[in-house]
Amino acid sequence: EASTDDDNNLLGISWVDSGWVPSLNPGNVLDYFSERSNPFYDRTCNNEVVKMQRLTLEHLNQMVGVEYILLHAQEPILYIIRKQQRQSPTQVIPLADYYIIAGVVYQAPDLGTVISSRVLSAVHGIQSAFDESMSYCRYHPSKGYWWHFKDQEEREKAKPKSKKKEEPSSLFQRHRVDTLLLDLRSKFPPTFYQPKPGEKPIPVEVKKEPEPPAETVKQEEREPATKSSAPAPPSKPPPEKRARLQ
């Protein structure tokens, strides 16, 4: 567990020695990596034994244990160093890779760490999306669920409020009022009318129907009276019944 924690801590740090940066080359990059202040270098490796005995790096193939080799070089900017466990002259197990960019040393993450980091970032993004979406969710027993977004409030505020035109009356009310006005006009005809707006009103001439003379009215009243006072014609008696001859 301690080694795992150390590896995780090394993934988040870097190391550089500015005195070596101008003179870095494939011949001295391993010496640069083996500096005592480098936290990525293991002092118990075979490279340290070879260095103390003043042997060449070719003797590493004859040893067993942890060693560092130069895996790739792209002068003058990029160098890749591999940490590996040597079990025989022909068999090694890679342990970690380190890349040096412009003199700065970083540890390359392993596949498991990369996948774990990507999954953690994706889960965090999904969880944040769910949390934010839940903040826009609303519920009411009578309405149910609905979404209420902040930009929706801003759009509603920005939109000009259009007032709905309210009709002053319904069709039934207008029809009823027209009927009443016609009735009133027939009972009380206008005495003035205005041909055009702004002109002087003109009095309306009301034609009166000529009244019948009083004598004819009296005669009409008398005629039904005389007709009613005349005696009714005598009614004939019913025919007498005669006895039948047998």
Side-chain angles (χ1 to χ4, degrees):
E1 295 180 0
S3 61
T4 304
D5 293 339
D6 292 341
D7 292 341
N8 292 334
N9 293 333
L10 292 176
L11 290 174
I13 64 173
S14 62
W15 175 83
V16 63
D17 188 349
S18 58
W20 280 79
V21 174
S23 59
L24 275 180
N25 58 65
N28 63 3
V29 68
L30 283 176
D31 295 333
Y32 172 66
F33 189 81
S34 62
E35 283 290 323
R36 292 184 178 275
S37 58
N38 184 8
F40 303 106
Y41 185 68
D42 187 0
R43 301 287 173 198
T44 62
C45 66
N46 293 338
N47 298 67
E48 194 71 14
V49 175
V50 170
K51 186 177 180 181
M52 291 177 64
Q53 294 180 2
R54 296 184 180 181
L55 301 174
T56 61
L57 295 177
E58 296 177 355
H59 289 79
L60 292 174
N61 297 334
Q62 308 300 326
M63 302 176 69
V64 177
V66 177
E67 64 183 22
Y68 294 92
I69 64 169
L70 178 61
L71 184 65
H72 177 75
Q74 184 178 344
E75 297 183 70
I77 190 70
L78 176 64
Y79 302 94
I80 298 177
I81 294 176
R82 171 166 287 181
K83 179 182 180 181
Q84 58 188 14
Q85 177 75 33
R86 180 169 292 278
Q87 297 180 346
S88 69
T90 58
Q91 186 178 6
V92 294
I93 300 174
L95 300 178
D97 288 337
Y98 305 91
Y99 53 94
I100 304 174
I101 300 178
V104 183
V105 182
Y106 305 91
Q107 181 175 345
D110 56 285
L111 183 60
T113 305
V114 172
I115 295 175
S116 176
S117 176
R118 295 295 184 270
V119 170
L120 184 61
S121 300
V123 170
H124 176 71
I126 294 172
Q127 185 64 37
S128 300
F130 273 111
D131 294 340
E132 186 174 0
S133 62
M134 288 300 296
S135 65
Y136 298 134
C137 182
R138 300 290 185 272
Y139 174 77
H140 193 273
S142 62
K143 297 180 180 179
Y145 289 95
W146 75 92
W147 297 105
H148 184 75
F149 299 101
K150 295 180 180 179
D151 56 349
Q152 184 177 1
E153 294 180 356
E154 295 177 357
R155 290 176 184 174
E156 291 178 355
K157 291 180 180 178
K159 285 183 179 179
K161 295 182 179 180
S162 57
K163 296 182 179 179
K164 295 182 179 180
K165 295 182 179 180
E166 298 181 356
E167 295 186 357
S169 61
S170 63
L171 181 61
F172 170 76
Q173 293 173 341
R174 292 194 295 271
H175 182 70
R176 184 62 180 166
V177 170
D178 292 342
T179 306
L180 293 174
L181 290 174
L182 290 174
D183 190 16
L184 291 173
R185 183 178 179 181
S186 61
K187 290 182 179 180
F188 306 99
T191 57
F192 293 90
Y193 79 95
Q194 192 174 14
K196 294 181 181 180
E199 293 184 357
K200 186 177 180 181
I202 302 173
V204 178
E205 295 180 0
V206 181
K207 296 181 180 180
K208 295 182 180 181
E209 297 181 357
E211 296 181 357
E215 295 180 355
T216 56
V217 175
K218 290 180 180 180
Q219 289 178 1
E220 290 178 357
E221 291 178 355
R222 289 174 184 174
E223 286 178 359
T226 54
K227 291 179 181 179
S228 61
S229 60
S235 58
K236 296 181 179 181
E240 295 179 0
K241 294 181 180 182
R242 296 181 181 179
R244 291 183 180 180
L245 297 176
Q246 296 180 354

